[in-house]
Amino acid sequence: MLDDRSTLERDRSGLWQALLELPGSYAGPNRVWPAPYGAIGYGEGALAARLGEDWLSAPLVLEGTQFVLGNLDFGEAESYADIADARGVGVVRAGPSSSGGLTFLVPPSPLSHYSYAQYLAYSSGHAQEAAAADEAMRRLAARCTPAVPTDENPAKQLAWKLWTRTPLLLAARDHAARISAWHVLLARIGKSMSVPLGDEPLLVLSGGFEARHESGDQRVALILSTDDPTLTLAREMLETRVDEIIEVLPDPDLEGYAADMQLWYLGAWTAYYLALAYGQDPSDARPLSALLALEEPQEEAEQE
Amino acid sequence: MLDDRSTLERDRSGLWQALLELPGSYAGPNRVWPAPYGAIGYGEGALAARLGEDWLSAPLVLEGTQFVLGNLDFGEAESYADIADARGVGVVRAGPSSSGGLTFLVPPSPLSHYSYAQYLAYSSGHAQEAAAADEAMRRLAARCTPAVPTDENPAKQLAWKLWTRTPLLLAARDHAARISAWHVLLARIGKSMSVPLGDEPLLVLSGGFEARHESGDQRVALILSTDDPTLTLAREMLETRVDEIIEVLPDPDLEGYAADMQLWYLGAWTAYYLALAYGQDPSDARPLSALLALEEPQEEAEQE
């Protein structure tokens, strides 16, 4: 069904094209700001701030550059920006134009994480990592595009594995941000609730399915990183508690930011096909698009 | 049924008595260590490190005292302790005795969070907060004990509201640790899986139930803090997506650590009755107790 062209008609906003053209599409500022760096993220910018943690000294810095990324902050980001500004720290904002002191305009979109993340990479002097992420995503795009049939398309295959099942999301402690990345993608694009198991999965898994072992939905566990000792034990517990355990990893030659971005991108494609498999439009659901429209650009924002 | 004495027979380890006697039971060290403080937590100690964040300068400190709390760290805690030690930072460990350089022995238990949390409070000079937490918990114990019938017992009432439903857990950004507290309690003691919605709930809730709106279990949302703007909007989205929205708050005169501890304690009682309502023993499930036994004290640990 996912190989049938008519299925794409459910994608009323043409998200597949935006997905396909995403790698290399960053056209924002590439000026490198003074180190050290801090970043706090809200809404669509939250994941970029988490994935960039290795480049940051702390969420909030007392010198250097303070990045404030994202939307849906309801004025809170503004107050952080003011504090940083008052301390003499350079404040750099990326988000919708209604946020004050904007340096980079990012219109709301299910794929806007890419813009926030690449912006943070370039702005913190990680152009090489940004290029590696584009390359890693480009490689994957060629395999995930709708023209590639299911039996050769990893995203379509994964979507079918998740279909009518509840996904449990796990990752090694160092890669916990991947859990929230997929949790948000599967819900926002894939229209499906998953269960993020980032906090102490051994304490949770050992008891969490005892009371209603046989009830409710089928479950599938997605392991979003290579194993650490906790994950190895978690797998043992999962074996009798879920229908299938699937390891979902970036290409083995990738590491760091490029690996995280490729895995996020795979999650976006997977969520896209999952929505279609359910007969849903992968575009934003109404309450979210209405909310984000309130923050959309009313006038030209200051661009670098 | 929860008011029937025979129901308690399912509680083979007598957890209700441990729960009832918990407030004021801390008998560990009360020496105050030199500031500033850092704390990292694993397994049963993870929540204490998160709830104590206001008292900490950072997870890892370069001077002062480094707390390393908990179990199930698989050697990782040891390496952090070594690094801190090599830097000349005082390292203080609490956990099972197999961890090296132990200062406070905490045997594994579904209620051990209380010991880790109170230890961190006293050790960082917050004896007053620790006493306030005990008082807040004592007040609640009198209302939640099995002798109090369902119609006057908030924990029994809440357990019935969760029974045969999937709980979704939400809280304001500043209180996100409460989400993991309840997620772990409901699974470990209550034998029930819940869905923690700590990361960007608006992005997740707007789409997450679209594909399978009518399928699967009934859902109940637990709101574990007073509203911030995100929660107010999240409630609107929840209204058509769950069967009930329940606000679960600490006593209104409480704040900070005492409020968090009282809410954790309510979660423990609620999870306790939920297990009984499902006909389950609230004690640890076998795979977890086996795992924790590997770490249990083999010999007398050094106590202060």
Side-chain angles (χ1 to χ4, degrees):
Chain A
M1 171 189 117
L2 291 177
D3 297 339
D4 185 344
R5 280 204 71 83
S6 69
T7 304
L8 285 184
E9 286 165 17
R10 285 173 199 145
D11 171 15
R12 293 191 194 88
S13 63
L15 189 60
W16 75 269
Q17 201 144 9
L19 261 168
L20 190 61
E21 291 167 2
L22 198 62
S25 68
Y26 178 76
N30 56 14
R31 165 178 172 183
V32 179
W33 293 80
Y37 306 112
I40 51 170
Y42 293 89
E44 297 182 338
L47 182 61
R50 285 191 71 181
L51 288 188
E53 266 172 13
D54 286 351
W55 305 334
L56 308 171
S57 309
L60 295 169
V61 286
L62 301 172
E63 47 173 351
T65 304
Q66 178 68 51
F67 294 98
V68 180
L69 309 173
N71 46 16
L72 300 172
D73 63 270
F74 307 107
E76 201 182 321
E78 196 54 41
S79 63
Y80 276 117
D82 288 347
I83 294 168
D85 198 44
R87 281 175 174 158
V89 179
V91 178
V92 173
R93 302 221 25 196
S97 77
S98 61
S99 50
L102 195 76
T103 316
F104 178 41
L105 172 71
V106 182
S109 144
L111 306 178
S112 65
H113 162 68
Y114 171 78
S115 303
Y116 287 110
Q118 292 289 81
Y119 176 66
L120 185 60
Y122 280 107
S123 305
S124 62
H126 296 88
Q128 225 171 345
E129 286 82 352
D134 273 332
E135 178 49 37
M137 289 168 62
R138 205 175 276 120
R139 233 193 280 167
L140 191 65
R143 301 172 57 209
C144 292
T145 184
V148 177
T150 301
D151 58 0
E152 296 164 24
N153 191 317
K156 288 182 181 177
Q157 285 173 18
L158 196 47
W160 284 124
K161 298 231 180 208
L162 301 187
W163 189 65
T164 70
R165 291 164 153 184
T166 298
L168 312 181
L169 308 178
L170 294 99
R173 177 182 268 252
D174 292 344
H175 293 292
R178 294 177 178 179
I179 294 176
S180 29
W182 278 63
H183 182 56
V184 170
L185 288 167
L186 290 176
R188 184 170 179 183
I189 298 178
K191 309 297 180 245
S192 304
M193 189 56 70
S194 57
V195 182
L197 295 177
D199 294 329
E200 309 312 319
L202 298 177
L203 299 184
V204 170
L205 284 173
S206 65
F209 297 113
E210 297 303 297
R212 309 174 71 197
H213 208 283
E214 300 307 325
S215 88
D217 296 330
Q218 286 204 307
R219 294 177 287 261
V220 55
L222 295 188
I223 313 276
L224 300 169
S225 74
T226 50
D227 280 12
D228 64 1
T230 298
L231 272 188
T232 305
L233 287 161
R235 274 177 194 269
E236 282 178 36
M237 292 185 183
L238 284 164
E239 244 154 48
T240 53
R241 290 169 173 81
V242 302
D243 295 284
E244 192 173 358
I245 301 173
I246 305 173
E247 201 170 65
V248 185
L249 298 176
D251 292 343
D253 61 319
L254 297 175
E255 56 183 26
Y257 177 71
D260 286 338
M261 288 297 280
Q262 195 195 47
L263 200 66
W264 170 83
Y265 190 52
L266 177 61
W269 276 113
T270 303
Y272 176 80
Y273 291 119
L274 184 59
L276 295 184
Y278 279 124
Q280 297 281 321
D281 181 354
S283 319
D284 279 343
R286 197 191 311 257
L288 184 61
S289 50
L291 191 60
L292 292 169
L294 295 176
E295 294 195 325
E296 254 179 292
Q298 309 297 319
E299 51 186 345
E300 278 296 293
E302 172 201 347
Q303 291 272 352
E304 290 243 309
Chain B
M1 171 191 119
L2 290 177
D3 297 338
D4 185 344
R5 279 205 72 83
S6 69
T7 304
L8 285 183
E9 286 165 18
R10 285 174 199 143
D11 172 14
R12 294 191 193 88
S13 63
L15 188 60
W16 75 270
Q17 202 143 10
L19 260 168
L20 191 60
E21 291 166 2
L22 197 62
S25 69
Y26 177 77
N30 55 13
R31 164 178 171 182
V32 180
W33 292 80
Y37 306 112
I40 51 169
Y42 293 88
E44 298 182 338
L47 181 61
R50 285 190 72 180
L51 288 188
E53 265 171 15
D54 286 350
W55 305 333
L56 308 172
S57 308
L60 296 168
V61 284
L62 300 172
E63 48 173 349
T65 304
Q66 178 67 52
F67 293 98
V68 180
L69 309 174
N71 46 17
L72 300 173
D73 61 270
F74 307 107
E76 201 183 321
E78 196 55 40
S79 63
Y80 276 116
D82 288 347
I83 293 167
D85 198 44
R87 282 175 174 159
V89 179
V91 178
V92 173
R93 302 216 32 187
S97 79
S98 60
S99 50
L102 194 74
T103 317
F104 178 41
L105 171 71
V106 183
S109 143
L111 306 179
S112 65
H113 162 67
Y114 171 78
S115 302
Y116 288 110
Q118 292 290 79
Y119 176 65
L120 184 60
Y122 280 108
S123 305
S124 62
H126 296 87
Q128 223 171 346
E129 285 82 351
D134 273 332
E135 178 49 35
M137 289 168 62
R138 204 174 278 120
R139 234 192 279 167
L140 192 64
R143 301 172 57 207
C144 292
T145 183
V148 176
T150 301
D151 58 1
E152 296 163 26
N153 190 316
K156 288 182 182 176
Q157 285 173 18
L158 197 46
W160 284 123
K161 298 231 181 208
L162 302 186
W163 190 64
T164 69
R165 291 164 153 184
T166 299
L168 312 181
L169 308 177
L170 295 99
R173 179 182 266 250
D174 291 344
H175 292 293
R178 293 177 178 180
I179 294 176
S180 22
W182 278 64
H183 182 56
V184 169
L185 287 167
L186 290 176
R188 183 170 179 182
I189 299 178
K191 309 298 180 244
S192 304
M193 189 57 71
S194 56
V195 182
L197 294 177
D199 295 327
E200 308 313 318
L202 298 177
L203 299 183
V204 170
L205 285 173
S206 65
F209 298 112
E210 296 303 297
R212 310 174 71 198
H213 208 280
E214 301 307 324
S215 88
D217 296 329
Q218 288 203 307
R219 294 178 287 261
V220 55
L222 295 187
I223 313 276
L224 300 169
S225 73
T226 49
D227 279 13
D228 63 1
T230 299
L231 272 188
T232 305
L233 288 161
R235 274 175 193 270
E236 282 178 35
M237 292 185 183
L238 284 164
E239 244 154 48
T240 53
R241 290 167 173 83
V242 302
D243 296 284
E244 192 173 357
I245 301 173
I246 304 173
E247 200 170 65
V248 184
L249 297 175
D251 291 343
D253 61 317
L254 298 176
E255 56 183 23
Y257 177 70
D260 287 337
M261 288 297 280
Q262 195 196 48
L263 201 66
W264 170 83
Y265 189 53
L266 177 60
W269 276 113
T270 303
Y272 176 80
Y273 291 119
L274 185 59
L276 295 184
Y278 280 124
Q280 297 281 321
D281 181 353
S283 318
D284 278 343
R286 197 190 311 256
L288 184 62
S289 49
L291 191 61
L292 292 170
L294 297 176
E295 293 194 326
E296 255 180 290
Q298 309 297 319
E299 52 188 343
E300 278 295 294
E302 172 201 344
Q303 291 272 353
E304 291 242 306

